[in-house]
């Protein structure tokens, strides 16, 4: 239970960090706003023309007697929109992080320097195109896993009682786990930690992950909230990544920035976890 509280504190600490660094917060909002506009456009289009798309895809129901054809197509339209909403929630973080890779990399590095006792922030040393490729590849793998869980939970939602009580709670925790993976990946990829190793780290501290990710997943269900919480979520995930790897966190914060001008960075050839 201690890890559960620690995870939630990292979420709060991340929000406090961006509140103290307004410039980083402002730049961190831009990718979320772009993603929100894109998703809103898709959902509006689906709301306007989803029924037409379902009608086109079900010509076999044209000869059904009233009201069965309308009920059947109305049900499919509702399911289509619900799945689109679920997919939007599951993929929002991945798409935002991909669009805002340079912004969030910079923010995460600043957090590392701020809380590191020697002011050092690990760097991947990879060109931007390579970082984007790795991020897109790993995000796709996570989204596929999350989508499979989403379909399973959506189906379980039709089970009487359980579907209306247990399933939504499980869904928040599952979504929170995958959200945390995406967010901690910003800091862990800079350290050369591969996806398989990242997942093993997160599974070894599940209550820590749930304490961070479950409240965030619940908050992300509220329209527009995800945009404003994303910068702080990246900052908090960076702090949690340091915890997962056993790296020291200087709670004084500003001491890290001052030390950065005094302590030399480790040589470029220093070992780091393999990619």
């Amino acid at each position: 239970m201690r890890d559960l509280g620690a995870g939630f504190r990292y979420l709060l600490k991340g929000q406090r960090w961006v509140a103290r660094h307004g410039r980083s917060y402002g730049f961190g909002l831009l990718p979320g706003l772009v993603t929100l506009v894109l998703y809103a456009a898709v959902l509006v289009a689906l709301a306007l023309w989803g029924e037409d798309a379902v009608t086109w895809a079900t010509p076999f129901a044209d000869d059904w007697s009233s009201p069965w054809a309308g009920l059947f197509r109305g049900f499919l339209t509702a399911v289509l929109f619900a799945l689109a909403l679920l997919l939007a929630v599951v993929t929002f973080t991945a798409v935002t992080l991909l669009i805002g890779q340079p912004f969030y990399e910079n923010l995460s590095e600043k957090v590392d320097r701020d809380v590191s006792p020697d002011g050092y922030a690990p760097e991947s040393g990879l060109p931007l195109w390579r970082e984007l490729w790795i991020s897109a590849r790993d995000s796709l793998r996570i989204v596929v896993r999350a989508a499979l869980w989403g379909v399973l939970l959506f189906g379980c939602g039709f089970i009487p009682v359980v579907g209306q009580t247990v399933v939504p709670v499980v869904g928040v925790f599952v979504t929170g786990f995958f959200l945390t993976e995406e967010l901690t990946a910003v800091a862990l990829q800079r350290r050369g930690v591969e996806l398989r190793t990242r997942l093993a780290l997160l599974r070894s501290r599940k209550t820590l992950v749930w304490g961070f990710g479950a409240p965030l997943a619940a908050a992300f269900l509220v329209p527009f909230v995800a945009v404003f919480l994303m910068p702080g979520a990246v900052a908090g995930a960076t702090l949690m990544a340091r915890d997962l790897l056993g790296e020291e966190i200087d709670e004084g914060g500003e001491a890290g920035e001052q030390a950065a001008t005094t302590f030399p960075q480790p040589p470029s050839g220093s070992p780091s976890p393999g990619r």
Side-chain angles (χ1 to χ4, degrees):
M1 292 301 293
R2 180 179 299 176
D3 262 0
L4 198 68
F8 185 64
R9 285 194 294 273
Y10 281 132
L11 180 60
L12 296 180
K13 286 178 181 179
Q15 301 303 324
R16 286 200 297 266
W17 191 94
V18 295
R20 297 197 310 267
H21 299 77
R23 186 178 179 85
S24 296
Y25 179 66
F27 280 113
L29 287 177
L30 295 177
L33 291 172
V34 172
T35 307
L36 179 64
V37 170
L38 293 175
Y39 275 47
V42 172
L43 291 174
V44 168
L46 193 59
L48 293 176
W49 297 294
E51 186 175 356
D52 294 337
V54 168
T55 300
W56 172 82
T58 56
F60 56 85
D62 288 343
D63 298 329
W64 291 8
S65 59
S66 180
W68 303 115
L71 290 174
F72 175 70
R73 285 169 171 164
F75 172 74
L76 289 183
T77 301
V79 168
L80 178 63
F81 193 80
L83 285 174
L85 280 175
L86 177 63
L87 191 61
V89 171
V90 169
T91 62
F92 183 88
T93 300
V95 174
T96 302
L97 290 174
L98 185 60
I99 292 174
Q101 179 81 9
F103 296 93
Y104 294 131
E105 283 279 350
N106 182 264
L107 189 154
S108 180
E109 286 181 14
K110 287 181 178 178
V111 173
D112 266 325
R113 291 193 183 96
D114 194 32
V115 302
S116 175
D118 60 1
Y120 173 67
E123 298 179 3
S124 67
L126 298 174
L128 179 59
W129 71 267
R130 178 66 176 168
E131 290 183 350
L132 289 173
W133 162 249
I134 293 172
S135 179
R137 180 196 65 191
D138 291 350
S139 292
L140 180 60
R141 293 173 178 173
I142 292 299
V143 166
V144 169
R145 286 178 169 89
L148 291 174
W149 271 98
V151 172
L152 174 62
L153 291 171
F154 183 81
C156 292
F158 292 100
I159 301 175
V161 183
V162 174
Q164 293 74 48
T165 54
V166 178
V167 171
V169 175
V170 173
V172 169
F173 279 87
V174 170
T175 303
F177 181 90
F178 289 118
L179 279 177
T180 304
E181 196 290 323
E182 290 285 355
L183 291 163
T184 53
V186 177
L188 294 176
Q189 282 179 2
R190 281 193 292 107
R191 291 161 166 81
V193 183
E194 295 182 346
L195 175 61
R196 183 175 297 179
T197 306
R198 296 201 304 267
L199 289 172
L201 279 172
L202 296 175
R203 288 169 183 151
S204 69
R205 303 280 299 277
K206 285 182 181 178
T207 51
L208 179 72
V209 172
W210 288 334
F212 181 92
L216 192 62
F220 275 19
L221 293 174
V222 181
F224 309 114
V225 167
V227 175
F228 297 100
L229 292 185
M230 273 296 292
V234 171
T238 301
L239 296 174
M240 193 168 72
R242 296 182 68 90
D243 184 349
L244 290 169
L245 295 174
E247 297 177 3
E248 188 176 351
I249 298 175
D250 180 9
E251 295 292 346
E254 298 302 324
E257 292 181 356
Q258 296 171 0
T261 62
T262 305
F263 291 83
Q265 293 187 0
S268 58
S270 59
S272 61
R275 186 173 293 277

